Amino acid sequence: MNITAIRGFNDILPGDSDVFRLIESEAGRVFSSYGYSEIRLPVVEKTELFSRSIGETTDIVEKEMYTFPDRHGDSLTLRPEGTASAVRAYIEHKLYTLPVAKLYYTGPMFRCERPQKGRYRQFYQVGAECLGDDSPRADAEALSMLMTFFERIELKGATLQINSLGCARCRPAYKERLKAFLAGRVEGLCENCRRRVGANPLRALDCKGHGCIEATKDAPSIIESLCRPCSGHFDSVMAHLRLSGVEARINARMVRGLDYYTRTTFEIIAEGLGSQNAVAAGGRYDRLVAELGGPETPCFGFAVGMERLALIIREGVPVRPLGVFIALGSPAEEKGAALLKEWRDKGLKLIEDFSAGQLKNRMKRADRLGARYVVILGPDELGQGVVTFKDMASALQEKLPWDGVPGRVLQGTTGAVES
Ligand code: HAM
Protein backbone atom coordinates (compact mmCIF):
# COMPACT_ATOMS: atom_id res chain seq x y z
CA MET A 1 0.00 0.00 0.00
CA ASN A 2 1.17 3.51 -0.79
CA ILE A 3 0.50 5.42 2.41
CA THR A 4 1.11 8.95 1.15
CA ALA A 5 -1.78 11.39 1.52
CA ILE A 6 -4.21 12.04 -1.32
CA ARG A 7 -2.95 15.07 -3.27
CA GLY A 8 -4.37 18.31 -1.93
CA PHE A 9 -5.42 16.75 1.39
CA ASN A 10 -2.73 18.21 3.57
CA ASP A 11 -1.41 17.48 7.00
CA ILE A 12 -0.99 20.58 9.13
CA LEU A 13 2.34 19.80 10.74
CA PRO A 14 3.62 20.88 14.18
CA GLY A 15 4.74 24.49 13.88
CA ASP A 16 2.10 25.29 11.27
CA SER A 17 -0.57 24.06 13.67
CA ASP A 18 0.60 26.77 16.13
CA VAL A 19 -0.13 29.35 13.42
CA PHE A 20 -3.56 27.83 12.78
CA ARG A 21 -4.32 27.89 16.51
CA LEU A 22 -3.30 31.55 16.70
CA ILE A 23 -5.57 32.41 13.76
CA GLU A 24 -8.51 30.57 15.34
CA SER A 25 -8.03 32.02 18.80
CA GLU A 26 -7.57 35.62 17.61
CA ALA A 27 -10.56 35.31 15.26
CA GLY A 28 -12.66 34.01 18.17
CA ARG A 29 -11.47 36.84 20.40
CA VAL A 30 -12.15 39.61 17.86
CA PHE A 31 -15.44 38.22 16.50
CA SER A 32 -16.88 37.60 19.97
CA SER A 33 -16.09 41.21 20.91
CA TYR A 34 -18.55 42.15 18.12
CA GLY A 35 -21.22 39.83 19.56
CA TYR A 36 -20.58 36.78 17.33
CA SER A 37 -20.94 33.30 18.88
CA GLU A 38 -19.35 30.13 17.64
CA ILE A 39 -21.45 27.57 15.81
CA ARG A 40 -20.05 24.09 15.11
CA LEU A 41 -21.39 22.78 11.85
CA PRO A 42 -21.22 19.27 10.35
CA VAL A 43 -18.72 18.59 7.56
CA VAL A 44 -21.32 16.73 5.48
CA GLU A 45 -24.70 17.96 4.32
CA LYS A 46 -27.30 16.85 1.80
CA THR A 47 -25.99 17.65 -1.68
CA GLU A 48 -29.12 19.61 -2.53
CA LEU A 49 -28.27 22.23 0.10
CA PHE A 50 -25.13 23.21 -1.80
CA SER A 51 -26.48 22.93 -5.33
CA ARG A 52 -29.45 25.13 -4.43
CA SER A 53 -27.48 27.76 -2.52
CA ILE A 54 -24.12 27.99 -4.31
CA GLY A 55 -25.76 27.63 -7.73
CA GLU A 56 -26.04 24.83 -10.33
CA THR A 57 -23.86 26.62 -12.90
CA THR A 58 -20.96 27.50 -10.59
CA ASP A 59 -17.55 25.77 -10.80
CA ILE A 60 -17.99 24.48 -7.26
CA VAL A 61 -21.26 22.66 -7.97
CA GLU A 62 -20.46 21.68 -11.56
CA LYS A 63 -17.10 20.06 -10.91
CA GLU A 64 -15.58 20.53 -7.46
CA MET A 65 -17.82 18.87 -4.90
CA TYR A 66 -17.03 15.58 -3.19
CA THR A 67 -20.43 13.93 -3.51
CA PHE A 68 -21.37 10.36 -2.65
CA PRO A 69 -24.46 8.31 -1.85
CA ASP A 70 -24.72 7.12 1.75
CA ARG A 71 -25.99 3.67 2.73
CA HIS A 72 -29.60 4.80 2.43
CA GLY A 73 -29.15 6.19 -1.06
CA ASP A 74 -29.19 9.86 0.02
CA SER A 75 -26.74 12.05 -1.85
CA LEU A 76 -24.31 13.67 0.57
CA THR A 77 -21.52 16.19 -0.01
CA LEU A 78 -18.43 17.15 1.97
CA ARG A 79 -19.04 20.84 2.56
CA PRO A 80 -17.25 23.09 0.05
CA GLU A 81 -17.99 26.17 2.22
CA GLY A 82 -19.74 27.13 5.45
CA THR A 83 -22.43 29.68 4.54
CA ALA A 84 -24.98 27.16 3.26
CA SER A 85 -24.65 25.10 6.46
CA ALA A 86 -24.94 28.20 8.66
CA VAL A 87 -28.15 29.16 6.84
CA ARG A 88 -29.50 25.61 7.11
CA ALA A 89 -28.82 25.64 10.87
CA TYR A 90 -30.37 29.12 11.18
CA ILE A 91 -33.61 27.87 9.60
CA GLU A 92 -33.63 24.45 11.24
CA HIS A 93 -33.14 25.82 14.77
CA LYS A 94 -35.37 28.89 14.20
CA LEU A 95 -32.55 31.28 15.07
CA TYR A 96 -34.63 33.84 13.15
CA THR A 97 -36.66 34.36 16.32
CA LEU A 98 -33.67 36.48 17.43
CA PRO A 99 -33.58 40.05 16.09
CA VAL A 100 -30.16 39.25 14.64
CA ALA A 101 -27.99 36.09 14.69
CA LYS A 102 -24.23 36.57 14.58
CA LEU A 103 -22.38 33.30 14.05
CA TYR A 104 -18.80 32.30 13.39
CA TYR A 105 -17.27 28.93 12.56
CA THR A 106 -13.95 27.32 11.74
CA GLY A 107 -13.13 24.02 10.11
CA PRO A 108 -12.20 22.11 6.99
CA MET A 109 -13.88 22.61 3.61
CA PHE A 110 -13.50 20.38 0.55
CA ARG A 111 -13.23 21.29 -3.13
CA CYS A 112 -11.81 19.08 -5.85
CA GLU A 113 -9.69 21.82 -7.46
CA ARG A 114 -6.26 21.49 -9.07
CA PRO A 115 -3.88 21.73 -6.09
CA GLN A 116 -1.25 24.48 -6.15
CA LYS A 117 0.29 26.94 -3.70
CA GLY A 118 -2.60 28.34 -1.64
CA ARG A 119 -5.17 26.03 -3.23
CA TYR A 120 -5.93 22.66 -1.70
CA ARG A 121 -8.68 20.06 -1.81
CA GLN A 122 -9.09 20.14 1.94
CA PHE A 123 -8.57 23.63 3.31
CA TYR A 124 -9.60 25.46 6.47
CA GLN A 125 -11.76 28.50 6.78
CA VAL A 126 -12.77 30.74 9.61
CA GLY A 127 -16.02 32.41 8.66
CA ALA A 128 -18.59 34.80 10.15
CA GLU A 129 -22.23 35.34 9.21
CA CYS A 130 -24.53 38.14 10.36
CA LEU A 131 -28.13 37.04 9.69
CA GLY A 132 -31.04 39.44 9.99
CA ASP A 133 -29.61 42.91 9.34
CA ASP A 134 -30.11 44.81 6.08
CA SER A 135 -28.30 47.99 7.11
CA PRO A 136 -25.25 49.05 5.07
CA ARG A 137 -23.70 49.67 8.48
CA ALA A 138 -23.80 45.88 9.05
CA ASP A 139 -21.67 45.37 5.90
CA ALA A 140 -19.20 48.06 6.99
CA GLU A 141 -19.06 46.74 10.55
CA ALA A 142 -18.29 43.16 9.42
CA LEU A 143 -15.55 44.45 7.10
CA SER A 144 -14.09 46.61 9.83
CA MET A 145 -14.16 43.58 12.18
CA LEU A 146 -12.29 41.53 9.60
CA MET A 147 -9.66 44.25 9.18
CA THR A 148 -9.27 44.48 12.98
CA PHE A 149 -8.67 40.72 13.05
CA PHE A 150 -6.00 41.09 10.32
CA GLU A 151 -4.37 43.88 12.33
CA ARG A 152 -4.29 41.69 15.46
CA ILE A 153 -2.49 38.89 13.67
CA GLU A 154 -0.23 41.44 11.96
CA LEU A 155 -1.19 40.72 8.37
CA LYS A 156 0.39 43.48 6.31
CA GLY A 157 -0.23 44.71 2.79
CA ALA A 158 -3.80 43.39 2.41
CA THR A 159 -6.18 45.37 0.20
CA LEU A 160 -9.96 45.30 0.26
CA GLN A 161 -11.62 45.15 -3.16
CA ILE A 162 -15.32 45.79 -3.19
CA ASN A 163 -18.20 45.62 -5.64
CA SER A 164 -21.99 45.42 -5.73
CA LEU A 165 -23.85 42.75 -7.67
CA GLY A 166 -27.22 44.48 -7.34
CA CYS A 167 -30.47 42.73 -6.57
CA ALA A 168 -33.28 40.76 -8.22
CA ARG A 169 -34.51 44.07 -9.67
CA CYS A 170 -31.38 45.48 -11.32
CA ARG A 171 -29.17 42.46 -11.95
CA PRO A 172 -31.33 40.77 -14.64
CA ALA A 173 -31.24 43.95 -16.72
CA TYR A 174 -27.46 44.15 -16.30
CA LYS A 175 -27.13 40.47 -17.24
CA GLU A 176 -29.05 41.17 -20.49
CA ARG A 177 -26.81 44.16 -21.27
CA LEU A 178 -23.71 42.06 -20.64
CA LYS A 179 -25.08 39.18 -22.72
CA ALA A 180 -25.74 41.55 -25.62
CA PHE A 181 -22.24 42.97 -25.22
CA LEU A 182 -20.67 39.48 -25.19
CA ALA A 183 -22.79 38.28 -28.13
CA GLY A 184 -20.34 39.79 -30.61
CA ARG A 185 -17.30 38.53 -28.70
CA VAL A 186 -18.19 34.91 -27.93
CA GLU A 187 -15.37 33.62 -30.14
CA GLY A 188 -12.79 35.17 -27.81
CA LEU A 189 -14.16 33.54 -24.65
CA CYS A 190 -12.78 30.33 -23.17
CA GLU A 191 -14.84 27.19 -23.62
CA ASN A 192 -16.19 27.32 -20.06
CA CYS A 193 -17.39 30.93 -20.31
CA ARG A 194 -18.81 30.35 -23.82
CA ARG A 195 -20.90 27.49 -22.48
CA ARG A 196 -22.15 29.55 -19.55
CA VAL A 197 -22.70 32.84 -21.33
CA GLY A 198 -26.46 32.24 -21.53
CA ALA A 199 -27.07 31.26 -17.89
CA ASN A 200 -24.21 33.01 -16.11
CA PRO A 201 -22.55 35.71 -18.29
CA LEU A 202 -21.09 37.51 -15.24
CA ARG A 203 -18.54 34.72 -14.75
CA ALA A 204 -16.70 35.89 -17.88
CA LEU A 205 -15.80 39.14 -16.07
CA ASP A 206 -13.91 37.20 -13.42
CA CYS A 207 -12.30 34.59 -15.70
CA LYS A 208 -8.49 34.64 -15.73
CA GLY A 209 -8.29 33.37 -19.36
CA HIS A 210 -6.51 35.86 -21.69
CA GLY A 211 -9.30 35.69 -24.26
CA CYS A 212 -11.94 36.42 -21.62
CA ILE A 213 -9.98 39.35 -20.17
CA GLU A 214 -9.60 40.81 -23.67
CA ALA A 215 -13.23 40.18 -24.66
CA THR A 216 -14.64 41.80 -21.51
CA LYS A 217 -12.21 44.75 -21.39
CA ASP A 218 -14.83 47.36 -22.23
CA ALA A 219 -17.84 45.52 -20.80
CA PRO A 220 -20.55 47.65 -19.16
CA SER A 221 -19.94 48.21 -15.43
CA ILE A 222 -22.36 46.65 -12.97
CA ILE A 223 -21.82 49.53 -10.52
CA GLU A 224 -23.23 51.92 -13.14
CA SER A 225 -26.24 49.66 -13.69
CA LEU A 226 -27.45 49.43 -10.08
CA CYS A 227 -31.01 50.44 -9.22
CA ARG A 228 -31.41 53.40 -6.89
CA PRO A 229 -31.78 51.40 -3.60
CA CYS A 230 -28.74 49.23 -4.45
CA SER A 231 -26.61 52.18 -5.41
CA GLY A 232 -27.72 54.00 -2.23
CA HIS A 233 -26.74 50.93 -0.20
CA PHE A 234 -23.34 50.77 -1.89
CA ASP A 235 -22.62 54.49 -1.34
CA SER A 236 -23.58 54.14 2.29
CA VAL A 237 -21.29 51.11 2.80
CA MET A 238 -18.42 53.10 1.26
CA ALA A 239 -19.17 56.11 3.48
CA HIS A 240 -19.24 53.96 6.63
CA LEU A 241 -16.01 52.25 5.66
CA ARG A 242 -14.39 55.68 5.30
CA LEU A 243 -15.70 56.63 8.75
CA SER A 244 -14.15 53.46 10.20
CA GLY A 245 -10.84 54.21 8.51
CA VAL A 246 -11.09 51.14 6.23
CA GLU A 247 -9.71 51.71 2.76
CA ALA A 248 -11.60 49.97 -0.06
CA ARG A 249 -10.92 49.86 -3.79
CA ILE A 250 -13.89 49.40 -6.12
CA ASN A 251 -13.46 46.49 -8.54
CA ALA A 252 -16.54 46.30 -10.77
CA ARG A 253 -15.24 43.08 -12.42
CA MET A 254 -15.27 41.05 -9.23
CA VAL A 255 -18.30 38.77 -9.43
CA ARG A 256 -17.42 35.88 -7.08
CA GLY A 257 -17.80 32.18 -7.74
CA LEU A 258 -20.96 31.58 -5.71
CA ASP A 259 -24.41 32.59 -6.93
CA TYR A 260 -26.08 33.59 -3.66
CA TYR A 261 -24.67 37.10 -3.44
CA THR A 262 -26.73 40.26 -3.69
CA ARG A 263 -25.42 43.82 -3.39
CA THR A 264 -22.05 44.11 -1.61
CA THR A 265 -19.33 41.59 -2.46
CA PHE A 266 -15.66 41.79 -1.59
CA GLU A 267 -12.29 40.09 -1.58
CA ILE A 268 -9.20 40.78 0.47
CA ILE A 269 -6.12 40.45 -1.68
CA ALA A 270 -2.75 39.81 -0.05
CA GLU A 271 0.81 40.05 -1.33
CA GLY A 272 3.16 37.09 -1.67
CA LEU A 273 0.63 34.40 -2.55
CA GLY A 274 0.99 34.22 -6.33
CA SER A 275 -2.22 33.64 -8.28
CA GLN A 276 -4.25 32.37 -5.28
CA ASN A 277 -4.08 35.76 -3.61
CA ALA A 278 -7.52 36.16 -1.97
CA VAL A 279 -7.14 35.57 1.78
CA ALA A 280 -10.77 36.33 2.53
CA ALA A 281 -13.97 36.93 0.64
CA GLY A 282 -17.67 37.33 1.13
CA GLY A 283 -20.57 39.69 0.86
CA ARG A 284 -24.30 40.16 1.25
CA TYR A 285 -26.80 37.39 0.49
CA ASP A 286 -30.26 38.78 1.11
CA ARG A 287 -32.23 36.06 -0.72
CA LEU A 288 -30.64 32.82 0.46
CA VAL A 289 -32.54 32.20 3.71
CA ALA A 290 -35.91 32.64 1.94
CA GLU A 291 -34.77 30.52 -1.02
CA LEU A 292 -33.96 27.68 1.38
CA GLY A 293 -37.40 27.90 3.02
CA GLY A 294 -36.83 30.37 5.87
CA PRO A 295 -38.28 33.85 6.34
CA GLU A 296 -36.97 36.82 4.31
CA THR A 297 -33.63 37.52 6.05
CA PRO A 298 -30.94 39.90 4.83
CA CYS A 299 -27.44 38.58 5.60
CA PHE A 300 -23.79 39.48 5.30
CA GLY A 301 -20.78 37.23 5.83
CA PHE A 302 -17.27 36.26 4.88
CA ALA A 303 -14.71 33.48 5.14
CA VAL A 304 -10.95 33.63 5.59
CA GLY A 305 -8.72 30.97 3.99
CA MET A 306 -6.50 29.80 6.84
CA GLU A 307 -3.76 28.14 4.75
CA ARG A 308 -3.28 31.32 2.71
CA LEU A 309 -3.18 33.44 5.85
CA ALA A 310 -0.74 31.02 7.52
CA LEU A 311 1.58 31.17 4.47
CA ILE A 312 1.90 34.94 4.94
CA ILE A 313 2.06 35.37 8.72
CA ARG A 314 3.88 32.27 9.90
CA GLU A 315 7.36 33.86 9.92
CA GLY A 316 6.20 36.43 12.45
CA VAL A 317 4.35 34.11 14.82
CA PRO A 318 6.22 33.80 18.14
CA VAL A 319 6.90 30.20 19.11
CA ARG A 320 7.41 29.25 22.75
CA PRO A 321 10.97 27.95 22.99
CA LEU A 322 11.35 24.23 23.57
CA GLY A 323 13.60 23.03 26.37
CA VAL A 324 15.03 19.58 27.09
CA PHE A 325 15.57 18.41 30.66
CA ILE A 326 18.36 15.92 31.39
CA ALA A 327 18.62 14.26 34.81
CA LEU A 328 21.85 12.40 35.64
CA GLY A 329 21.14 9.53 38.06
CA SER A 330 18.04 8.45 39.93
CA PRO A 331 18.07 11.00 42.79
CA ALA A 332 18.14 13.76 40.12
CA GLU A 333 15.34 12.01 38.21
CA GLU A 334 13.19 12.02 41.35
CA LYS A 335 13.76 15.68 42.13
CA GLY A 336 13.42 16.42 38.41
CA ALA A 337 9.84 15.12 38.35
CA ALA A 338 8.78 17.76 40.90
CA LEU A 339 10.77 20.53 39.24
CA LEU A 340 9.37 19.73 35.78
CA LYS A 341 5.81 19.92 37.09
CA GLU A 342 6.51 23.31 38.66
CA TRP A 343 8.15 24.72 35.51
CA ARG A 344 5.48 23.33 33.16
CA ASP A 345 2.80 24.83 35.42
CA LYS A 346 4.56 28.18 34.89
CA GLY A 347 4.16 27.79 31.10
CA LEU A 348 7.49 26.31 30.02
CA LYS A 349 7.51 23.81 27.14
CA LEU A 350 9.79 20.98 28.24
CA ILE A 351 10.65 17.49 27.06
CA GLU A 352 12.41 15.15 29.48
CA ASP A 353 15.17 13.11 27.90
CA PHE A 354 14.72 9.47 29.03
CA SER A 355 17.72 8.10 27.15
CA ALA A 356 20.74 6.79 29.03
CA GLY A 357 24.35 7.08 27.97
CA GLN A 358 26.91 9.84 27.74
CA LEU A 359 25.88 13.43 28.32
CA LYS A 360 27.44 14.38 24.97
CA ASN A 361 25.03 12.08 23.11
CA ARG A 362 22.08 13.25 25.14
CA MET A 363 22.96 16.85 24.25
CA LYS A 364 23.03 15.86 20.56
CA ARG A 365 19.54 14.37 20.86
CA ALA A 366 18.32 17.62 22.43
CA ASP A 367 19.83 19.54 19.55
CA ARG A 368 18.09 17.28 16.99
CA LEU A 369 14.79 17.87 18.77
CA GLY A 370 15.25 21.59 18.09
CA ALA A 371 15.73 22.53 21.78
CA ARG A 372 16.47 26.22 22.38
CA TYR A 373 17.89 25.39 25.82
CA VAL A 374 18.87 22.37 27.88
CA VAL A 375 18.49 22.08 31.66
CA ILE A 376 20.82 19.58 33.33
CA LEU A 377 20.40 18.26 36.85
CA GLY A 378 23.30 16.07 38.02
CA PRO A 379 24.51 15.03 41.50
CA ASP A 380 26.55 18.25 41.96
CA GLU A 381 23.67 20.50 40.91
CA LEU A 382 21.31 18.52 43.16
CA GLY A 383 23.52 19.15 46.17
CA GLN A 384 23.73 22.91 45.45
CA GLY A 385 20.03 23.47 44.56
CA VAL A 386 20.93 24.61 41.05
CA VAL A 387 20.80 23.39 37.43
CA THR A 388 23.17 23.83 34.54
CA PHE A 389 21.33 25.88 31.93
CA LYS A 390 22.62 25.82 28.37
CA ASP A 391 21.44 28.22 25.67
CA MET A 392 21.68 26.14 22.48
CA ALA A 393 21.75 29.13 20.12
CA SER A 394 24.72 30.87 21.73
CA ALA A 395 26.28 27.78 23.39
CA LEU A 396 26.43 29.87 26.61
CA GLN A 397 26.13 27.94 29.85
CA GLU A 398 25.42 29.05 33.44
CA LYS A 399 24.30 27.77 36.81
CA LEU A 400 20.81 28.77 37.86
CA PRO A 401 18.84 28.24 41.08
CA TRP A 402 15.79 26.02 40.50
CA ASP A 403 13.29 28.83 40.89
CA GLY A 404 15.31 30.99 38.49
CA VAL A 405 14.67 28.74 35.46
CA PRO A 406 11.20 30.03 34.39
CA GLY A 407 12.32 33.67 34.60
CA ARG A 408 15.47 32.88 32.62
CA VAL A 409 13.50 31.22 29.82
CA LEU A 410 10.79 33.87 29.69
CA GLN A 411 13.30 36.74 29.76
CA GLY A 412 15.26 35.20 26.85
CA THR A 413 18.46 33.30 26.48
CA THR A 414 21.20 35.93 26.25
CA GLY A 415 23.72 37.17 28.75
CA ALA A 416 24.96 33.80 29.97
CA VAL A 417 28.58 32.86 30.44
CA GLU A 418 30.31 30.99 27.63
CA SER A 419 30.94 27.33 28.44
P1 HAM B 1 -14.86 31.67 -1.14
O1 HAM B 1 -14.38 32.87 -1.86
O2 HAM B 1 -15.21 30.50 -1.96
O3 HAM B 1 -16.10 32.13 -0.28
O4 HAM B 1 -13.79 31.23 -0.09
C1 HAM B 1 -13.31 32.13 0.91
C2 HAM B 1 -11.80 32.00 1.07
O5 HAM B 1 -11.45 30.62 1.30
C3 HAM B 1 -11.00 32.37 -0.17
O6 HAM B 1 -10.80 33.77 -0.27
C4 HAM B 1 -9.70 31.63 0.08
O7 HAM B 1 -8.87 32.36 0.97
C5 HAM B 1 -10.17 30.36 0.77
N1 HAM B 1 -10.24 29.23 -0.21
C6 HAM B 1 -11.22 28.97 -1.08
N2 HAM B 1 -10.93 27.86 -1.79
C7 HAM B 1 -9.74 27.42 -1.33
C8 HAM B 1 -8.91 26.29 -1.67
N3 HAM B 1 -9.25 25.38 -2.58
N4 HAM B 1 -7.73 26.15 -1.00
C9 HAM B 1 -7.37 27.06 -0.06
N5 HAM B 1 -8.12 28.11 0.30
C10 HAM B 1 -9.29 28.30 -0.33
C11 HAM B 1 -16.80 31.28 0.55
O8 HAM B 1 -16.45 30.18 0.85
C12 HAM B 1 -18.04 31.93 1.12
N6 HAM B 1 -18.73 30.94 1.95
C13 HAM B 1 -17.68 33.17 1.93
C14 HAM B 1 -18.89 33.81 2.54
C15 HAM B 1 -19.32 33.67 3.81
N7 HAM B 1 -19.75 34.58 1.90
C16 HAM B 1 -20.71 34.93 2.73
N8 HAM B 1 -20.46 34.38 3.90
Side-chain angles (χ1 to χ4, degrees):
M1 181 193 173
N2 177 353
I3 56 143
T4 52
I6 308 165
R7 202 156 164 254
F9 287 78
N10 299 334
D11 300 301
I12 312 293
L13 293 174
D16 284 339
S17 59
D18 293 335
V19 184
F20 273 59
R21 183 125 41 101
L22 175 87
I23 294 172
E24 284 170 348
S25 63
E26 280 305 322
R29 204 164 300 155
V30 174
F31 298 173
S32 62
S33 73
Y34 282 77
Y36 284 73
S37 304
E38 187 179 10
I39 183 163
R40 299 211 175 204
L41 298 161
V43 293
V44 286
E45 297 273 3
K46 289 184 185 154
T47 303
E48 197 193 348
L49 173 68
F50 299 117
S51 44
R52 283 184 50 193
S53 50
I54 297 170
E56 296 282 1
T57 58
T58 57
D59 281 348
I60 296 179
V61 172
E62 276 187 351
K63 50 186 190 206
E64 292 171 3
M65 295 204 302
Y66 285 96
T67 296
F68 54 93
D70 74 357
R71 287 173 186 277
H72 311 290
D74 290 327
S75 179
L76 302 183
T77 291
L78 293 180
R79 62 178 180 193
E81 58 110 47
T83 310
S85 302
V87 169
R88 195 243 336 112
Y90 177 80
I91 299 170
E92 189 173 329
H93 303 290
K94 299 191 173 53
L95 301 182
Y96 47 75
T97 51
L98 296 165
V100 64
K102 293 183 160 197
L103 310 171
Y104 78 89
Y105 50 86
T106 67
M109 310 291 159
F110 304 85
R111 296 182 195 173
C112 190
E113 296 187 83
R114 193 170 50 79
Q116 63 182 89
K117 181 183 170 190
R119 187 164 73 187
Y120 313 102
R121 292 179 169 176
Q122 173 172 334
F123 59 97
Y124 288 78
Q125 283 186 343
V126 48
E129 315 288 350
C130 170
L131 304 106
D133 198 330
D134 65 355
S135 165
R137 294 183 62 185
D139 308 29
E141 186 197 62
L143 286 166
S144 169
M145 173 175 92
L146 179 57
M147 290 321 228
T148 302
F149 161 61
F150 284 151
E151 248 170 60
R152 291 281 167 85
I153 56 166
E154 296 182 18
L155 173 73
K156 305 211 168 66
T159 52
L160 165 60
Q161 298 198 355
I162 195 162
N163 193 14
S164 174
L165 293 181
C167 67
R169 220 172 328 150
C170 52
R171 200 187 317 168
Y174 173 72
K175 250 173 146 176
E176 287 313 312
R177 274 183 72 199
L178 184 61
K179 237 191 271 182
F181 172 85
L182 291 174
R185 295 166 173 82
V186 173
E187 289 307 306
L189 300 180
C190 72
E191 209 185 300
N192 219 4
C193 289
R194 212 179 301 162
R195 185 173 51 80
R196 289 193 297 210
V197 78
N200 206 346
L202 271 72
R203 296 295 308 150
L205 294 175
D206 206 31
C207 183
K208 306 285 181 280
H210 286 306
C212 299
I213 293 174
E214 191 57 31
T216 57
K217 215 169 48 192
D218 305 314
S221 156
I222 191 158
I223 294 277
E224 283 157 22
S225 315
L226 297 176
C227 60
R228 199 184 275 260
C230 283
S231 113
H233 185 98
F234 189 67
D235 291 345
S236 181
V237 172
M238 294 302 284
H240 282 101
L241 286 176
R242 271 194 298 277
L243 281 177
S244 322
V246 176
E247 252 180 71
R249 195 179 304 157
I250 296 174
N251 176 0
R253 296 175 65 95
M254 186 185 58
V255 297
R256 312 279 300 118
L258 305 101
D259 280 355
Y260 49 61
Y261 291 110
T262 49
R263 295 191 166 172
T264 318
T265 54
F266 76 92
E267 283 184 0
I268 310 268
I269 305 299
E271 289 162 4
L273 283 175
S275 63
Q276 303 304 312
N277 59 359
V279 271
R284 187 160 272 290
Y285 49 101
D286 290 343
R287 301 281 315 124
L288 186 57
V289 176
E291 274 164 14
L292 293 178
E296 287 288 340
T297 311
C299 306
F300 186 94
F302 61 79
V304 179
M306 286 172 56
E307 283 81 357
R308 294 185 192 178
L309 198 50
L311 277 170
I312 308 172
I313 65 161
R314 71 173 174 215
E315 298 305 329
V317 173
V319 183
R320 253 192 311 158
L322 172 73
V324 165
F325 175 76
I326 299 176
L328 305 172
S330 6
E333 278 168 17
E334 268 170 44
K335 180 64 195 170
L339 288 173
L340 276 169
K341 169 146 180 38
E342 205 181 299
W343 294 334
R344 287 174 177 147
D345 285 349
K346 295 218 160 97
L348 266 51
K349 189 163 89 172
L350 282 160
I351 289 179
E352 182 169 6
D353 175 53
F354 296 129
S355 69
Q358 289 183 349
L359 182 60
K360 198 173 76 182
N361 292 335
R362 297 177 76 176
M363 293 298 285
K364 276 191 193 150
R365 275 168 61 90
D367 195 34
R368 279 170 46 217
L369 279 168
R372 279 281 310 284
Y373 60 95
V374 176
V375 180
I376 303 162
L377 185 66
D380 290 350
E381 285 91 347
L382 196 58
Q384 296 164 25
V386 297
V387 292
T388 298
F389 184 93
K390 178 159 185 180
D391 180 334
M392 298 296 272
S394 60
L396 299 176
Q397 194 164 294
E398 66 187 313
K399 293 273 192 277
L400 283 181
W402 293 336
D403 61 2
V405 171
R408 185 74 183 77
V409 172
L410 299 174
Q411 142 227 314
T413 41
T414 51
V417 184
E418 197 142 4
S419 61

